[in-house]
Amino acid sequence: MAKKRDIVIAGYSETPIEFRSGRSAYDFGGEALAKLLQSTGIPKSEIDGMVVAAPLSECPNPFFPVYMAEALGLSPKWLNYSGTGGCSATGGIARAASAIRDGLCETVVVLCADAPSTTWRANYGAYRGEFQEPVGVQGPPASFGLLMSRYHHQYGIKPEALGKIAVTQREHALHNYNALAKFKTPLTMEDYFNSRVIADPLRLLDCVMFCDGANAFR
């Protein structure tokens, strides 16, 4: 079994981020894997573990990880499906490290690929249709708005603190040649406060924009 100090992230790849690309999660996944293999020099045959993030564009397929592995020509002996939204990559890396530590595999690819701006197939279900949607809570921004309102009630939060997150993330996008073209313009705090409120205290520029693309870790 591998020790913690022997487990590393050996490579990273990312596709250009697009809006309404017309491509599929499988297509983006293949591009991300090809770039990862090229950058690390590791043969595809050595990959024996895989973590796949749940994609909004492929929600109806309960066997998506298996189909993705098949599409990529991989035969992992350890396979994990991660469905924690934007935290899927981070959670996937933690699970991959645990699998390597426990001797279940040796070389893992953590793959996140989706195309929700091209194909939207999500149906959240649960209690949302009965208790949330009838009163206007029809998506993540409204749900997070409720959470932030509660946080502000208990602890207090300045609007500038939220604005700083949006401005900093935009600065990061300016340095990323794979970033969505629409976001390759500077964002000021004034721009942030001029954006409309979506779910108080969250504004339009706090929200995630649907886009297509993929990234992969090894």
Side-chain angles (χ1 to χ4, degrees):
M1 294 185 182
K3 296 181 179 179
K4 286 185 177 181
R5 65 173 179 268
D6 298 324
I7 301 172
V8 300
I9 297 175
Y12 171 77
S13 70
E14 181 181 69
T15 71
I17 306 303
E18 306 175 39
F19 181 66
R20 294 179 179 173
S21 65
R23 301 168 62 187
S24 70
Y26 297 103
D27 193 5
F28 280 109
E31 181 180 345
L33 178 62
K35 289 184 175 181
L36 185 66
L37 294 175
Q38 183 179 14
S39 65
T40 60
I42 299 297
K44 187 166 65 172
S45 58
E46 290 191 12
I47 298 173
D48 59 351
M50 186 176 183
V51 180
V52 181
L56 295 170
S57 60
E58 293 289 336
C59 286
N61 183 0
F63 306 109
F64 175 72
V66 178
Y67 279 50
M68 176 61 84
E70 184 180 76
L72 299 178
L74 298 175
S75 299
K77 60 183 182 182
W78 179 80
L79 183 61
N80 180 267
Y81 198 21
S82 177
T84 51
C87 297
S88 294
T90 304
I93 290 172
R95 295 185 185 98
S98 296
I100 294 172
R101 178 200 62 197
D102 294 340
L104 301 177
C105 50
E106 294 183 0
T107 303
V108 183
V109 168
V110 179
L111 179 69
C112 301
D114 204 353
S117 71
T118 293
T119 306
W120 175 261
R121 292 174 176 164
N123 180 4
Y124 296 119
Y127 52 79
R128 294 171 183 265
E130 185 176 1
F131 295 107
Q132 290 191 348
E133 292 176 4
V135 294
V137 184
Q138 297 183 344
S143 299
F144 282 111
L146 291 173
L147 292 172
M148 291 305 300
S149 293
R150 181 62 185 177
Y151 183 92
H152 176 65
H153 174 74
Q154 286 187 260
Y155 307 108
I157 186 171
K158 295 182 179 179
E160 291 81 4
L162 294 174
K164 186 175 181 180
I165 295 174
V167 171
T168 300
Q169 289 181 331
R170 180 62 62 86
E171 290 177 353
H172 293 168
L174 296 177
H175 294 288
N176 184 355
Y177 59 85
N178 285 321
L180 190 66
K182 185 176 181 179
F183 293 154
K184 291 184 179 180
T185 56
L187 177 68
T188 66
M189 191 67 76
E190 183 180 2
D191 294 330
Y192 173 80
F193 282 115
N194 285 336
S195 66
R196 68 181 184 273
V197 174
I198 300 298
D200 191 37
L202 301 182
R203 298 175 177 273
L204 179 64
L205 291 174
D206 290 308
C207 300
V208 176
M209 179 178 177
F210 285 130
C211 51
D212 306 346
N215 57 50
F217 297 84
R218 173 197 167 272

